[in-house]
């Protein structure tokens, strides 16, 4: 193979790696705000359902999509929840979604639960 052919193949591999990296970092929702926007701007139910994790698609129904996508409805707030579980206690933390590069995630509430 000539140097020119190797260079072309190298450039093609580099472009493919960039496209895959872009897909995983910019196409899939990263926080609750991105998820809400992805669902509300989806053209149809199948597009919105494709966002769901494989095996969990049945948890998101078409009636849910229609409610979120309704033109007369708007979300009052968008929050994220994280659960930290320890041997004796659990903590439920509600945070703001934050925007990558512009706003950090802010803790809105923390609840402590004792295991019984």
């Amino acid at each position: 193979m000539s140097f020119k052919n190797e260079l072309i193949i190298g450039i093609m591999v580099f472009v493919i790696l960039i496209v895959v990296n872009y897909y995983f970092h910019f196409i899939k929702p990263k926080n609750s705000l991105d998820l809400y926007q992805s669902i509300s701007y989806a053209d149809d139910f199948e597009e919105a359902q494709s966002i769901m994790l494989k095996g969990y698609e049945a948890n998101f129904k078409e009636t849910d999509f229609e409610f979120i996508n309704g033109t007369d409805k708007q979300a009052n707030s968008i929050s994220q929840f994280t659960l930290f579980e320890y041997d004796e206690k659990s903590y439920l933390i509600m945070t703001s979604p934050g925007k990558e590069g512009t706003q950090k995630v802010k803790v809105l509430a923390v609840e402590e639960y004792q295991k019984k």
Side-chain angles (χ1 to χ4, degrees):
M1 248 202 294
S2 70
F3 176 73
K4 185 178 180 180
N5 288 343
E6 289 178 6
L7 183 63
I8 291 172
I9 290 173
I11 291 172
M12 288 174 49
V13 168
F14 180 73
V15 167
I16 290 170
L17 290 175
I18 294 294
V19 168
V20 168
N21 191 27
Y22 178 83
Y23 175 77
F24 283 116
H25 287 88
F26 295 108
I27 301 299
K28 296 288 182 175
K30 290 178 277 319
N31 58 37
S32 55
L33 182 60
D34 287 348
L35 178 62
Y36 173 75
Q37 289 173 342
S38 296
I39 293 171
S40 65
Y41 294 137
D43 293 329
D44 56 15
F45 173 67
E46 287 76 24
E47 182 181 341
Q49 195 174 34
S50 70
I51 299 167
M52 303 304 145
L53 188 63
K54 188 174 181 179
Y56 292 89
E57 298 92 349
N59 294 338
F60 184 67
K61 299 181 177 25
E62 193 161 0
T63 54
D64 301 327
F65 171 73
E66 290 170 3
F67 183 84
I68 292 171
N69 228 8
T71 56
D72 59 337
K73 295 174 186 69
Q74 193 173 25
N76 293 336
S77 69
I78 300 172
S79 301
Q80 300 179 149
F81 294 91
T82 303
L83 181 64
F84 295 141
E85 290 186 280
Y86 298 96
D87 291 334
E88 299 172 6
K89 293 181 181 180
S90 296
Y91 292 93
L92 180 65
I93 302 172
M94 182 173 67
T95 61
S96 66
K99 290 188 178 182
E100 195 169 324
T102 59
Q103 180 184 5
K104 292 185 179 184
V105 172
K106 305 257 188 216
V107 174
L108 303 175
V110 177
E111 295 285 332
E112 179 183 309
Y113 298 94
Q114 290 282 352
K115 291 196 178 183
K116 296 178 183 182

